[in-house]
Amino acid sequence: MNTRQETPEEKRERLRQEELKKNPNVALRDGIDRAENGNLADLAGGLGWKGTGILIIVLIVGYVLYKLFS
């Protein structure tokens, strides 16, 4: 028996894959939407906690510099 618990991320991906199998047109629309808008959760998840922290610091420093020189 498989006693391993499914993580929320794995469950979300499994449900998404099942939906894509049921309705292939959703895959095209989903791909177009992601290409246009991006997905902040995917960005933060891909960077890890250190990368996300650095991104936040860069944004804050950029905002402060913008306010100082404008």
Side-chain angles (χ1 to χ4, degrees):
M1 286 194 156
N2 189 3
T3 60
R4 183 177 165 271
Q5 288 290 327
E6 187 176 45
T7 66
E9 200 171 74
E10 292 170 337
K11 183 177 181 180
R12 200 169 27 249
E13 182 62 25
R14 181 179 51 79
L15 291 172
R16 190 176 77 81
Q17 290 297 327
E18 289 174 5
E19 179 64 29
L20 292 176
K21 287 177 187 175
K22 290 178 189 174
N23 189 356
N25 293 332
V26 172
L28 176 62
R29 189 180 73 230
D30 187 41
I32 292 170
D33 289 344
R34 285 179 188 244
E36 288 177 358
N37 301 327
N39 188 345
L40 187 57
D42 289 342
L43 173 63
L47 290 175
W49 69 270
K50 289 179 186 176
T52 303
I54 291 171
L55 179 63
I56 291 170
I57 290 171
V58 167
L59 289 173
I60 291 171
V61 168
Y63 179 75
V64 169
L65 289 174
Y66 171 77
K67 284 298 188 179
L68 284 174
F69 294 112
S70 63

